[in-house]
């Protein structure tokens, strides 16, 4: 089956997951009522209010965040040549969460447009620390050193975040959303400030597919074919920070989407990044939508944060990748 057909099937899966997110929950709403709520909204209809007020924003956020995290993971794996790379594992998510918690608890900053830039700053700082620590010393940066540096930076920012919450327990409720990782409890107005970053970053990532293919062939080959490797790496790093930082600012610390999806997409569509990047956007959105729907039913009538669901999926996959990598060393 050609990659285009598989990508088209992925789009169908994404649309089905989006519809399921609008329909399923503690109150199951028939698909016909969902369509009526979207096309002919009636403010006196309880089902319409549920769809428009709660489930539609939730589904849109899951779609955007899943696509952003998956594409960020694919770009990070290409940038570092490390199959274990992802924004969560390399400390980018933890850095963004720490910056948001710091601004919320100590300076009472809650405006979404402000938190967006604060989260991006924290993500940039964490990424720079990981890259600097991994590259220090005569051996330079290696995949193992990058993973160890990412684990260290993640632990550091998590400890800082916990220290802030211990010293300011009154602020715990206001930042619990970002700690757990969730796509519920948000409205579309809170997403609008992030769109000017996420959508252009996704579009730019799509346009860089051919250049990434050259980079994956080796830096010397890429330079020989006229590619500016330093500029490309800088672009990939900036796009990763924009996508991951924006996703964390919207939905909090949702891990492992950036790790799982790129491997799944390469298995389905091959290693050509002209297909990998759009595939990550489509399947990343689908996976987070499905995880969010599953989170509604696991411990009904309560829900668990979607970040917990992705961790349940991602932790065994991370262990599998680590063990497989060790066997080939």
């Amino acid at each position: 089956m050609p990659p285009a057909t598989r990508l088209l099937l992925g789009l169908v899966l994404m649309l089905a997951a989006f519809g399921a997110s609008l329909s399923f929950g503690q109150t199951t709403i028939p698909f016909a009522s969902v369509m009526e709520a979207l096309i002919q909204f009636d403010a006196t209809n309880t089902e319409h209010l549920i769809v428009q007020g709660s489930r539609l924003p939730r589904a849109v956020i899951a779609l955007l965040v899943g696509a952003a995290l998956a594409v960020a993971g694919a770009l990070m794996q290409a940038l570092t040549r490390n199959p274990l790379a992802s924004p969560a594992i390399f400390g980018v998510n933890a850095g963004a969460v720490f910056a948001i918690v710091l601004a919320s608890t100590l300076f009472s900053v809650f405006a979404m447009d402000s938190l967006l830039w604060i989260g991006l700053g924290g993500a940039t700082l964490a990424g720079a620390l990981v890259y600097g620590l991994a590259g220090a010393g005569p051996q330079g940066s290696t995949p193992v050193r990058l993973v160890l540096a990412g684990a260290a930076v993640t632990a550091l920012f998590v400890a800082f975040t916990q220290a802030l919450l211990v010293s300011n327990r009154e602020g715990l409720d206001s930042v619990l959303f970002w700690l757990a990782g969730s796509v519920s409890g948000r409205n579309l107005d809170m997403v609008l400030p992030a769109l000017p970053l996420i959508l252009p970053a996704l579009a730019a990532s799509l346009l860089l597919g051919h250049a990434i293919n050259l980079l994956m062939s080796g830096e010397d080959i890429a330079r020989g074919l006229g590619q500016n490797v330093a500029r490309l790496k800088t672009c990939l790093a900036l796009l990763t920070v924009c996508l991951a930082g924006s996703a964390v600012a919207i939905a909090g610390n949702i891990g492992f989407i950036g790790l799982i999806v790129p491997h799944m997409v390469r298995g389905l569509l091959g290693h050509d990044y002209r297909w990998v990047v759009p595939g990550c956007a489509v399947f990343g959105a689908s996976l987070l939508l499905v995880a969010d729907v599953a989170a509604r039913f696991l411990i009904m009538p309560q829900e668990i944060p979607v970040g917990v669901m992705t961790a349940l999926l991602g932790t065994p996959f991370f262990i599998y990748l680590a063990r497989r990598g060790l066997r080939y060393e």
Side-chain angles (χ1 to χ4, degrees), residues 82 84-85 89-90 142-152 318:
N82 188 342
L84 297 178
I89 294 171
F90 274 30
T142 65
V144 173
R145 287 169 64 89
L146 281 168
V147 171
L148 293 176
F318 177 80

Side-chain angles (χ1 to χ4, degrees), residues 55-141:
R55 293 187 183 172
L56 180 61
R58 187 169 181 169
V60 171
I61 289 171
L63 187 147
L64 285 174
V65 170
L69 290 176
V71 172
L75 297 182
M76 184 171 281
Q77 289 173 12
L79 178 64
T80 62
R81 306 290 295 274
N82 188 342
L84 297 178
S86 76
I89 294 171
F90 274 30
V92 174
N93 287 7
V97 169
F98 167 71
I100 290 171
V101 170
L102 177 66
S104 301
T105 56
L106 295 187
F107 304 104
S108 300
V109 177
F110 299 104
M112 189 62 191
D113 52 352
S114 299
L115 291 178
L116 177 64
W117 293 106
I118 291 169
L120 288 175
T124 304
L125 175 61
L129 282 175
V130 170
Y131 225 73
L133 289 173
Q139 294 181 345
S141 176

Side-chain angles (χ1 to χ4, degrees), residues 28-50:
T28 300
I29 300 175
F31 185 70
S33 297
V34 171
M35 295 304 297
E36 288 178 2
L38 297 177
I39 299 171
Q40 297 177 330
F41 177 69
D42 181 3
T44 64
N45 189 312
T46 302
E47 291 183 340
H48 290 195
L49 290 173
I50 292 173

Side-chain angles (χ1 to χ4, degrees), residues 253-317:
N253 190 18
I254 297 176
F256 291 106
I257 293 291
L259 174 68
I260 299 173
V261 176
H263 288 278
M264 180 176 68
V265 169
R266 283 192 288 266
L268 290 172
L269 304 180
H271 293 263
D272 187 342
Y273 268 77
R274 290 173 295 182
W275 293 106
V276 169
V277 174
C280 283
V282 169
F283 287 99
S286 301
L287 180 60
L288 194 56
L289 283 165
V290 170
D292 182 48
V293 173
R296 305 175 194 180
F297 292 96
L298 202 61
I299 54 172
M300 284 188 70
Q302 296 181 346
E303 297 182 8
I304 64 173
V306 70
V308 176
M309 286 297 301
T310 58
L312 290 174
L313 293 171
T315 301
F317 190 78

